[in-house]
Amino acid sequence: MGLFDRFRRGTTTRMRGPARNATRTGSTRVRASDGADETHLLEFVSTRKGVEGFVEPRTAVSDVTLLLVAHDGEWTRRRVPSVDWAHKFCNKHQVPSYDAAVVGVPQRMRDYNRRRKQQGL
């Protein structure tokens, strides 16, 4: 292979961009939030006491999510359309909301997870 062979057109395999067909390549696509997510969040807020909301920012593998944690540590997490939407949802349902990237998740949630693991659930 010569020094400049890699720059000649048509003589070498060129790098390609990501495939448009994610199912064929094994790439993952993040599902957008939908009405079922909002319904689940509303049901959680209306049936638990002491619920707080923790808005988790978009990451490389997931969209913006809203983590709801009840007074006993029980929790649920669902995708939401935006950070603004999550805070408005919490305000509308009188749930205090925090940015999870700033404050983290509450200790009661970790304690709840530990209890469930010890019970074998």
Side-chain angles (χ1 to χ4, degrees):
M1 177 179 212
L3 180 62
F4 294 104
D5 284 347
R6 70 172 16 162
F7 300 113
R8 291 192 184 131
R9 288 186 180 246
T11 59
T12 61
T13 304
R14 298 186 68 161
M15 295 288 288
R16 296 182 187 181
R20 298 197 193 284
N21 185 350
T23 56
R24 182 178 59 80
T25 63
S27 299
T28 58
R29 297 231 174 156
V30 177
R31 176 182 67 80
S33 65
D34 57 17
D37 292 326
E38 183 177 357
T39 302
H40 177 80
L41 293 171
L42 182 58
E43 186 270 332
F44 189 88
V45 165
S46 61
T47 58
R48 290 1 179 247
K49 294 187 299 185
V51 176
E52 293 180 319
F54 296 87
V55 181
E56 300 172 319
R58 177 187 304 269
T59 66
V61 294
S62 72
D63 273 341
V64 177
T65 55
L66 177 58
L67 172 69
L68 297 176
V69 183
H71 77 285
D72 62 350
E74 183 182 1
W75 60 275
T76 190
R77 175 184 287 127
R78 291 292 185 268
R79 291 176 186 89
V80 294
S82 68
V83 170
D84 187 48
W85 186 95
H87 286 293
K88 285 180 181 177
F89 175 87
C90 289
N91 290 340
K92 180 179 177 182
H93 300 289
Q94 300 177 349
V95 171
S97 63
Y98 310 98
D99 288 323
V102 176
V103 301
V105 296
Q107 182 63 43
R108 69 181 183 272
M109 179 182 154
R110 290 188 285 273
D111 294 341
Y112 176 82
N113 289 340
R114 189 177 313 109
R115 285 192 309 270
R116 296 211 11 123
K117 187 175 181 179
Q118 288 172 347
Q119 294 171 353
L121 300 175

